[in-house]
Every structure is written in C-alpha cells, then in structure tokens.
Amino acid sequence: MMLAIDQVLGPDEVSAIRAAIPGLTFGDGAASAGKFAREVKANDQAAPSPALDAVLGQVTQALTANPIFGFAARPRLMTRLILSRYRTGQTYGLHVDDALMNGVRTDLSFTLFLSDPDTYEGGALVIEDTFEQRAVKLPAGDLILYPSTTLHRVEPVTSGERLAVVGWVQSWVRSADQREILFDLERSLRQVHEAEGKSALFDTLAKTRTNLLRLWAAD
Ligand code: NI
C-alpha cells in the first residue's frame, strides 16, 4: 500500500523549518547510502547539529501525533531521520533501500515534502511496482508512505531546490497485506463510530481489529 498523508506539517511548521535551513550545514548525501545506492545518489543531506536535532525533533513529534501515519505504519522503531536537499542537477537513481539500518528493519519508507512543488522542476519520487511507475510530488507538509521493498528513484531537479525529510519504519506488523487489512478495518471502525456511535457492530469490529493486531504484531 502506498499512502499520501496530507499536512503532516501545517504551513506554519513548514515555514519554521524552512527558516532554520540557512543555519544548517549540508554534506554529501552519498554518505548515508548503501554500497550500490551510493553510485547513483547525488544529493545533499544536513549534517548533525543541535539546529538539525530541533528540526528533526519537530518532524518526529508530528509523525508520532499523526493518527493516519500510526494506523498505516504501526511503527515499532524508526531510523534517524534525514533532511535531504536536491539542487539543480541533483538526483537519486534507481535503488532499493537497505533492509537493515542501525538495527532497524526497514518495512516502510517515507518522504515528507518541504518545498512547494511550484518552486522546483523535476524532483518527483518515482516508485516502481511490478507493472508501472508512479511519480509522486506532493505539496509542502504532505508525506508519502511506501513499502521499502520497492525500487524507486528521485528524478533530477532541473531548477530550484527540493527539500524533504526521509525516514524508515520498522512496523509491528511486518506483512504489508496485514497492515493494509488493519488500516481498512481501522477506517471502517471510525466510519461506524461516526454513523452510529459505540454500537454492537462497532464493538465487534473493534474486537476484530484489536485481536488481529494482537495476532499479527511481532518483533
Ligand atoms: Ni530510497
């Protein structure tokens, strides 16, 4: 399941992060790539600093507070986030993300867009599945969540600058199929609650959702 989540960061939060960018130092993004991905990765990433910690802390807080992210990803662990920057001519060629990053199994990848799409050309995240490619370029503050198992790339930026935060989730529910079932059940449950409150149907659905999660949640 690929999922776009609107406004994980509101306009004010995006503005605050953008205002912090000039105070950050950027280095070669290839440093955080695996051996083969390094050959096709040509972008920048923010170097560790207290100012970066503040930015990434704010993003982590927003992710933790976002119910849709929680229900779709069922996060158990998350990698350290990366603030990436693509300037004109920069790109990240086709690659698959490493399966393990600092002890975290990467089940889901995400990109949180920080630049308004009309301020840069190119720079779409292109995700391949077995029969098609999907190009994703979202408004600032929106996030795309997708399976880490996919081949994907970032198209060359041909003008302007593309800023994004990327990260990876180890889910309580390793199977993408099972995560999708739980996500659909969660949505249905909420619709039933809205329509008829805590009815008998709601209670049974809630029991099913909870017990499936109990069955499927695993280290
Ligand atoms: Ni990647």
Side-chain angles (χ1 to χ4, degrees):
M1 181 174 72
M2 236 175 265
L3 187 70
I5 306 177
D6 294 347
Q7 296 300 286
V8 169
L9 295 174
D12 292 349
E13 293 169 300
V14 171
S15 299
I17 289 177
R18 280 203 212 124
I21 300 292
L24 303 177
T25 310
F26 283 82
D28 185 356
S32 66
K35 178 172 162 41
F36 300 110
R38 204 169 298 157
E39 294 173 15
V40 291
K41 188 175 188 185
N43 68 358
D44 302 328
Q45 69 185 43
S49 70
L52 178 64
D53 287 346
V55 166
L56 298 182
Q58 193 186 351
V59 173
T60 304
Q61 217 171 9
L63 287 171
T64 310
N66 189 288
I68 301 171
F69 181 81
F71 295 136
R74 304 278 173 188
R76 182 168 194 272
L77 298 169
M78 278 203 340
T79 62
R80 189 179 155 74
L81 303 178
I82 293 175
L83 177 59
S84 72
R85 182 181 68 183
Y86 294 76
R87 288 183 293 182
T88 303
Q90 293 189 309
T91 182
Y92 193 169
L94 196 66
H95 66 279
V96 63
D97 296 338
D98 279 349
L100 300 168
M101 295 187 195
N102 299 320
V104 176
R105 188 190 62 228
T106 56
D107 297 319
L108 292 148
S109 306
F110 60 83
T111 296
L112 174 55
F113 291 81
L114 292 174
S115 302
D116 288 320
D118 53 5
T119 62
Y120 62 101
E121 300 284 333
L125 171 66
V126 179
I127 302 165
E128 289 194 348
D129 64 25
T130 47
F131 65 95
E132 65 174 353
Q133 301 192 347
R134 290 184 202 203
V136 183
K137 190 169 168 178
L138 299 177
D142 286 13
L143 176 144
I144 179 81
L145 185 65
Y146 62 101
S148 302
T149 49
T150 53
L151 281 167
H152 54 272
R153 63 191 162 87
V154 176
E155 286 184 330
V157 169
T158 53
S159 75
E161 183 177 287
R162 175 200 195 264
L163 285 167
V165 170
V166 298
W168 293 266
V169 174
Q170 178 172 332
S171 178
W172 276 107
V173 180
R174 183 175 166 190
S175 152
D177 292 340
Q178 290 172 339
R179 276 198 308 271
E180 188 167 342
I181 291 169
L182 287 168
F183 184 70
D184 288 344
L185 262 176
E186 191 69 49
R187 283 194 303 176
S188 306
L189 191 61
R190 276 152 194 266
Q191 281 164 9
V192 169
H193 193 264
E194 237 166 67
E196 53 191 71
K198 196 179 164 307
S199 62
L201 174 59
F202 173 86
D203 283 344
T204 312
L205 272 176
K207 180 184 165 198
T208 306
R209 181 272 325 258
T210 302
N211 287 334
L212 278 177
L213 180 57
R214 191 174 279 120
L215 266 180
W216 291 339
D219 288 349

